[in-house]
Amino acid sequence: MSVGNSAGFDRHITIFSPEGRLYQVEYAFNACKQAGLTSVAVRGKDSAVVVIQKKVPDKLLDPSTVTNLFYITANIGCVMTGMSADSRYQVKRARSEAAFWKYRYGHEIPVDVLCRRIADISQVYTQSAGMRPLGCIMTLIGYDDKMGPMVFKTDPAGYFCGFRAVACGAKHLEGGNFLEKCFKKKKDYTFNETIELAIHCLSCILSADLRANELEVGIVTQENPKFRTLTEAEIDNHLASLAERD
Amino acid sequence: MSSIGTGYDLSASQFSPDGRVFQVEYAQKAVENSGTVVAIRGKDGIVFGVEKLVMSKLYEKGSNKRIFHIDRHIGMAVAGLLADARQIADIAREEAANYRSDFGGPIPSAVLADRVSMYMHAYTLYSFVRPFGCSVVLSSYDEDGPHMHVIEPSGVAYGYYGCAIGKGKQAAKTEIEKIKMKEMSMHELVNEVARIVYTIHDEVKDKAFELELSWVGKGTEGLHQFIPAEVQEEAEKLAKKSLEDSDSDEDM
């Protein structure tokens, strides 16, 4: 591999290094892991679920203001993994894009179209010198009346893809392996099985028994396609049935 | 862990290899060099206490205030670069005025916190501007009770029951965690806040300071006001007394 000549800026702004890498984009991926949180999203037969840890680091914090789950429209929700402020910015942009689509075309934006739009915006940041990529990963879930439940993820590089299941954040590799093993054995999950798989995955890769107040769960289902977050009591029920299964 | 970002800290549009934005972290350091702000949310109100360090003997009392009124019902206390903070206050006032004009009523502090945090975050994205070197605390009281939000230079905003930002924040946080704020009335909070500021003030490093106090809550009917002179005097007297008491305890 020849060592090309670079002016030394390839690590500082989003230009190519001699080996053809974008260092700033790679560093942005590291930023997504900085917060130390991991999220898991699973698509079942007729439902889609996102789960993320809830860490309230300061006793004086008001826990009701700490969240990583956001709704984009009534029917589309997302989990944001990575830098807090960048996440809120991207959520705001997504809400704005979804609202504009509704205004322009008269119907709700589909999940994959929204994801593509956010990914295209993220790509612009990887090609501008004056801006940095956002240090956050957005995993969108929604229930489409033609396509069924959908899970889409977009990252700082501007890449996006639909998934059957995906893990993002600090422990995404372990999460990915775990989910691959589960999906090899079984491909169709009912609503309860989907939630339990997501929670089980998270507790295994974190090697910890998670409690209801350390988790946030967001769901969309065929019966109720509106994005909603589960209450602590509902999460407790799922944890209980998970414990019984084991 | 070294937090020197040599080479990756030149602008807010650069990530370091481990994914940090050093310009934002340096802005947070600017906040830590300033006088402490202590804010506590009680049962039916919020009290701000600001340790305003006085640099000169010629200083005129009451100038360079670090607590601002945003509209009539929201208070903002700042730590960090005062010039940057004045910009934030202006933006907050503009947002509040626009909200009134658009929606016909006072802006909820959660909405204002959201807008101010997005504004501060925008300055952490581009290379041609620098992040704001200040943290702000917003407080208000409405039918849902008291609300308090802290916004850092990175644009991250959370709601709090008690917070301290600035030089003495660690010591202040320890003191705040000891008190049962959720049951305290506004008057009790005033005395506690004054006591905490006096306790954490470092007599050796920083000589003189002026204590700025303000409150908003049921007692002020939701209006943000500076604390009346008699209440402030009383609180400072009690604070100085408790400091002497604890000093004499140490001597024993």
Side-chain angles (χ1 to χ4, degrees):
Chain A
M1 181 183 74
S2 68
V3 179
N5 203 13
S6 76
F9 290 107
D10 49 4
R11 287 180 185 269
H12 296 78
I13 54 175
T14 344
I15 54 177
F16 282 114
S17 76
E19 305 93 47
R21 294 163 69 174
L22 290 172
Y23 280 109
Q24 276 292 304
V25 178
E26 294 180 19
Y27 298 163
F29 275 90
N30 287 342
C32 298
K33 300 191 199 131
Q34 271 289 312
L37 296 180
T38 312
S39 69
V40 173
V42 181
R43 184 184 85 191
K45 210 166 42 171
D46 52 11
S47 60
V49 163
V50 285
V51 172
I52 188 168
Q53 302 161 259
K54 180 162 173 163
K55 275 197 201 156
V56 182
D58 194 345
K59 257 197 291 181
L60 298 170
L61 268 171
D62 183 347
S64 62
T65 64
V66 178
T67 178
N68 287 77
L69 295 183
F70 302 92
Y71 72 91
I72 309 294
T73 65
N75 300 330
I76 302 178
C78 75
V79 64
M80 299 301 298
T81 323
M83 294 165 73
S84 237
D86 288 6
S87 302
R88 299 250 198 109
Y89 178 81
Q90 202 165 48
V91 164
K92 252 203 195 330
R93 188 66 197 267
R95 286 175 179 164
S96 162
E97 294 291 330
F100 179 74
W101 178 281
K102 179 81 197 278
Y103 168 74
R104 187 86 176 288
Y105 302 109
H107 70 95
E108 295 284 342
I109 190 170
V111 181
D112 52 333
V113 174
L114 178 62
C115 200
R116 178 188 300 268
R117 182 80 189 111
I118 298 299
D120 286 347
I121 295 169
S122 301
Q123 188 279 335
V124 173
Y125 305 152
T126 70
Q127 226 177 350
S128 303
M131 290 191 60
R132 60 172 176 84
L134 294 176
C136 55
I137 297 175
M138 176 184 257
T139 314
L140 294 158
I141 60 167
Y143 191 90
D144 189 273
D145 40 14
K146 288 204 200 76
M147 309 279 291
M150 300 211 272
V151 172
F152 273 81
K153 179 192 89 156
T154 175
D155 57 30
Y159 172 74
F160 84 102
C161 190
F163 288 87
R164 280 183 290 176
V166 65
C168 319
K171 301 237 161 138
H172 70 282
L173 288 170
E174 294 94 324
N177 288 338
F178 184 93
L179 291 166
E180 274 175 33
K181 270 192 253 160
C182 290
F183 269 80
K184 262 202 200 121
K185 288 185 235 157
K186 181 176 154 91
K187 289 210 172 60
D188 284 322
Y189 291 90
T190 65
F191 171 57
N192 287 323
E193 287 171 342
T194 316
I195 299 186
E196 277 151 38
L197 172 63
I199 298 179
H200 187 45
C201 174
L202 207 56
S203 11
C204 282
I205 58 183
L206 298 171
S207 312
D209 267 321
L210 295 164
R211 284 180 300 196
N213 64 351
E214 293 169 343
L215 279 174
E216 285 189 284
V217 181
I219 58 169
V220 289
T221 65
Q222 189 176 23
E223 297 164 349
N224 188 6
K226 297 232 176 301
F227 176 77
R228 70 178 188 92
T229 51
L230 295 184
T231 62
E232 256 189 57
E234 290 171 310
I235 301 179
D236 255 322
N237 286 339
H238 287 288
L239 285 169
S241 69
L242 198 59
E244 273 170 39
R245 258 204 303 149
D246 294 336
Chain B
M1 182 177 68
S2 155
S3 47
I4 302 173
T6 355
Y8 293 102
D9 52 358
L10 301 171
S11 75
S13 68
Q14 283 179 10
F15 276 114
S16 74
D18 49 0
R20 295 154 69 177
V21 183
F22 276 102
Q23 273 294 305
V24 173
E25 297 193 15
Y26 294 165
Q28 278 159 348
K29 286 212 179 98
V31 175
E32 281 163 31
N33 283 336
S34 113
T36 319
V37 170
V38 172
I40 307 185
R41 173 178 150 186
K43 198 172 48 175
D44 50 11
I46 297 172
V47 175
F48 284 155
V50 178
E51 173 203 18
K52 194 166 69 186
L53 299 169
V54 169
M55 301 299 168
S56 153
K57 289 207 181 77
L58 301 171
Y59 166 78
E60 186 182 320
K61 195 165 188 300
S63 62
N64 278 355
K65 284 206 188 310
R66 286 176 46 200
I67 300 182
F68 300 89
H69 298 289
I70 310 292
D71 206 314
R72 280 182 283 217
H73 59 296
I74 297 184
M76 180 169 112
V78 304
L81 301 173
L82 192 51
D84 287 10
R86 270 199 281 265
Q87 286 283 62
I88 302 292
D90 271 347
I91 291 297
R93 285 169 176 162
E94 214 181 290
E95 288 290 345
N98 286 340
Y99 188 96
R100 240 183 223 280
S101 149
D102 289 338
F103 300 106
I107 188 170
S109 77
V111 174
L112 183 63
D114 189 47
R115 293 198 187 172
V116 173
S117 69
M118 285 290 101
Y119 185 80
M120 288 176 73
H121 174 256
Y123 283 74
T124 68
L125 292 173
Y126 306 98
S127 61
F128 48 84
V129 290
R130 62 161 175 81
F132 284 97
C134 58
S135 280
V136 302
V137 190
L138 293 168
S139 69
S140 75
Y141 179 85
D142 58 28
E143 318 90 52
D144 300 322
H147 303 281
M148 183 163 83
H149 296 266
V150 176
I151 309 167
E152 295 166 10
S154 58
V156 169
Y158 287 124
Y160 285 82
Y161 285 107
C163 79
I165 46 180
K167 261 195 186 113
K169 77 169 187 214
Q170 282 304 107
K173 272 213 173 110
T174 326
E175 291 293 322
I176 297 176
E177 282 173 15
K178 288 186 205 156
I179 53 185
K180 292 198 175 68
M181 60 205 79
K182 294 189 196 169
E183 298 140 26
M184 292 177 107
S185 73
M186 282 163 68
H187 272 273
E188 290 171 332
L189 281 180
V190 172
N191 294 332
E192 285 298 327
V193 167
R195 181 187 63 82
I196 293 175
V197 176
Y198 269 87
T199 312
I200 55 161
H201 175 68
D202 190 337
E203 279 297 325
V204 177
K205 282 204 206 127
D206 315 305
K207 304 287 161 43
F209 80 102
E210 188 187 320
L211 176 63
E212 269 180 60
L213 289 170
S214 80
W215 58 10
V216 61
K218 204 157 169 201
T220 67
E221 287 174 25
L223 296 172
H224 175 252
Q225 295 167 346
F226 283 98
I227 285 180
E230 329 83 62
V231 181
Q232 172 138 7
E233 248 183 77
E234 181 66 35
E236 293 202 49
K237 225 174 20 179
L238 282 170
K240 287 191 188 127
K241 185 164 174 301
S242 89
L243 209 58
E244 281 162 17
D245 287 345
S246 68
D247 277 347
S248 61
D249 283 344
E250 279 168 24
D251 288 339
M252 278 160 60

